[in-house]
Structures are given as C-alpha cells and as structure tokens.
Amino acid sequence: MSIRKMSASSGEGWIGYSLKIAQHRLRQRLEAELAGTGVSASQNAVLLAIGDNPRISNASLARAAFVTPQSMQGMLVTLERDGFIVRTPHPDHGRIIMTELTDKGSAAAQAGMLAAEAVERQMLADLTGEEARLLGDLLRRCADALERT
C-alpha cells in the first residue's frame, strides 16, 4: 500500500485546504464589502446577533463572531464607543447587561446583511441551486462530524 504524498503548498487532495482558501477569500470579499459601513465582519456578526437578541450573553456573542470572550469584551467597548450599541444594566437582574443597537448600529447591521448576501451570491454564482443546497448540507455534515468526540 502506498501513501499518497500531499503538500499544503499544492493543496492537492486536501479538501480542508480548499475549504480554508474559500473561507479566506470569502472573508476578504466580505471585509471589502463592509468597508463603507464602519464595521468589520466580526463586528457585523455581533451587531446582527444583538439585533436578534438584546439579552444575548457575551459568550454567545463571542461564538457568533468566532472570537474569544476576552476579544468580545474589547469589541463591545469599541462598538459602544463608536455609537453602534448602547449597554445598560438589566432592570431586574443587576449582573445582566442589556445590549441594544442604536440607529447607527441598526443601519450598519442592515448594510452588513446586504453585503453578506451579495458576497454569498458571488461565491455561489457558478453553482446551480441544487449544488448550493448540497454544498451547504455537506459542510454542515462535515462540521457535525468534527464536533463528535
């Protein structure tokens, strides 16, 4: 039995490498599309998550933005300083901090959603609708397989 030699530089046979290239290019395109909104892709993910749930925890926000909880705290400080969010203590639970979008934050989140949709359309432009659905399903299954212990 022979072991097929693969190299990271060629990416030949490495589905994970191809996935990483696609993810990197997706991120680059999204960052370029978001440039006019004043927020990064990670910050946009946070604004969208807050828009969906103002009571979302910092840990959940960190997961949504693929950053550490420590990085999330810094990101929230920046978003608040720049006027995208307002943070106030919960009226009944002193330890819970409510985070809400300002009008500026809502506008940025909406623009970010449109940017993300445009980039995704570009990414999937060479696939049929069925291929795009299959790709999504296969990627979810791969992620689930890696989650199992």
Side-chain angles (χ1 to χ4, degrees):
M1 178 193 296
S2 75
I3 297 176
R4 183 174 169 201
K5 182 172 168 96
M6 296 183 282
S7 72
S9 62
S10 72
E12 183 180 336
W14 289 30
I15 292 172
Y17 186 74
S18 295
L19 181 60
K20 182 62 179 172
I21 291 171
Q23 184 274 333
H24 179 72
R25 290 180 184 164
L26 173 67
R27 180 71 176 239
Q28 286 179 317
R29 288 295 315 131
L30 184 56
E31 291 290 356
E33 289 290 323
L34 289 170
T37 67
V39 296
S40 68
S42 294
Q43 290 171 325
N44 185 61
V46 170
L47 294 178
L48 291 170
I50 292 169
D52 285 344
N53 179 9
R55 293 183 178 170
I56 191 168
S57 70
N58 282 11
S60 294
L61 284 172
R63 284 189 295 277
F66 300 102
V67 300
T68 65
Q70 295 82 1
S71 295
M72 179 52 55
Q73 184 58 36
M75 192 180 302
L76 290 172
V77 167
T78 299
L79 288 170
E80 186 173 30
R81 180 198 68 212
D82 293 346
F84 291 101
I85 62 171
V86 176
R87 301 175 78 209
T88 55
H90 189 283
D92 299 324
H93 304 285
R95 293 186 54 191
I96 297 175
I97 302 293
M98 300 286 294
T99 306
E100 297 178 85
L101 298 178
T102 62
D103 289 343
K104 181 180 179 180
S106 293
Q110 181 64 29
M113 178 70 76
L114 294 174
E117 289 171 355
V119 171
E120 184 153 313
R121 276 193 307 278
Q122 179 185 359
M123 179 180 67
L124 300 175
D126 292 343
L127 303 181
T128 66
E130 181 57 32
E131 287 171 331
R133 282 186 290 283
L134 178 60
L135 177 61
D137 180 55
L138 293 172
L139 289 172
R140 281 185 293 279
R141 288 169 48 196
C142 288
D144 290 346
L146 292 171
E147 190 69 20
R148 289 192 290 266
T149 55

